[in-house]
Amino acid sequence: MHSLTSDTVDHDILTDRLQQSFCVKGWALSWIKSFLWNQTQSVSIEGMQSTRLPLTCGVTQGSLFGPILFLVKCADVIAIAQRHGLGVHSYADDTQLYFHADPSAVDSNVQKLVTSVGDIDRWMCANRLKLNQDKTQFLWLGTLHQLSKLRLLTITLGGINIKMSTEAMCLGVLLDSAITFVAHV
């Protein structure tokens, strides 16, 4: 499971993608540009406020439109993962890659995952986005009998070793390896 950051979404790249990949033009594109480019920010410390400056990147979190724009921006991430034969779920800035495999055939699927994440990372760098490695998790799901056959306890993604988790959050549901939902309940 990977988490992408939405605060680095470049407005120019996003509007180019809307035009080129999704054929958004005319008044619709103008409306989106006004939503993106009419944002400012300032910093307030102990009652002192800095000058308001325009934002050139990021989509507004908490808005209805922000998550949709982020998903539009990251649509290629889904295509990359699917090209590698992986399943993908995305919601706002959370993306989960997954595969189904018999415990005896796990190695080739893990290699697909590693290759896919490498390709996604390169795409993200080219598009001024970043994987949030602090939120990256790796979780095996299965029966206790199936899980006992697995020997892979760590996966290396982008030079970082990620230990297998016993639990992971998925859209507010805490999943455990054996899918008992005990931790969630």
Side-chain angles (χ1 to χ4, degrees):
M1 297 185 188
H2 275 292
S3 184
L4 313 172
T5 58
S6 60
D7 55 347
T8 58
V9 173
D10 183 282
H11 294 168
D12 290 326
I13 293 172
L14 176 57
T15 54
D16 285 347
R17 172 126 329 110
L18 285 165
Q19 291 175 75
Q20 302 302 319
S21 299
F22 296 93
C23 299
V24 176
K25 297 180 179 10
W27 65 267
L29 185 63
S30 296
W31 182 77
I32 293 168
K33 283 181 177 181
S34 113
F35 173 79
L36 292 171
W37 290 338
N38 289 333
Q39 303 290 328
T40 60
Q41 74 175 5
S42 66
V43 176
S44 179
I45 299 174
E46 295 181 2
M48 300 291 291
Q49 188 163 345
S50 69
T51 305
R52 294 188 84 60
L53 297 173
L55 291 175
T56 58
C57 61
V59 292
T60 307
Q61 292 185 352
S63 72
L64 293 175
F65 202 46
I68 293 168
L69 287 176
F70 186 76
L71 289 174
V72 164
K73 166 72 176 189
C74 294
D76 289 345
V77 169
I78 295 168
I80 292 167
Q82 289 174 334
R83 246 190 337 265
H84 288 281
L86 298 173
V88 185
H89 286 280
S90 287
Y91 180 77
D93 63 348
D94 287 327
T95 300
Q96 299 170 348
L97 307 179
Y98 61 92
F99 61 86
H100 176 270
D102 186 86
S104 62
V106 164
D107 291 342
S108 64
N109 284 289
V110 168
Q111 188 54 48
K112 285 183 198 177
L113 178 69
V114 169
T115 303
S116 178
V117 170
D119 289 352
I120 289 168
D121 192 38
R122 283 185 286 286
W123 177 88
M124 292 182 77
C125 287
N127 286 276
R128 297 186 61 198
L129 293 169
K130 182 179 175 276
L131 285 173
N132 187 341
Q133 294 177 343
D134 293 338
K135 291 185 176 181
T136 300
Q137 294 178 289
F138 183 65
L139 176 71
W140 291 119
L141 298 174
T143 65
L144 291 175
H145 180 68
Q146 290 170 323
L147 294 171
S148 70
K149 296 177 186 178
L150 297 169
R151 301 291 170 240
L152 184 66
L153 301 177
T154 304
I155 187 169
T156 303
L157 298 173
I160 305 229
N161 290 330
I162 301 165
K163 292 181 181 178
M164 183 179 11
S165 300
T166 56
E167 301 172 345
M169 191 66 74
C170 178
L171 294 176
V173 176
L174 187 58
L175 296 176
D176 60 283
S177 293
I179 319 171
T180 65
F181 296 100
V182 169
H184 181 76
V185 174

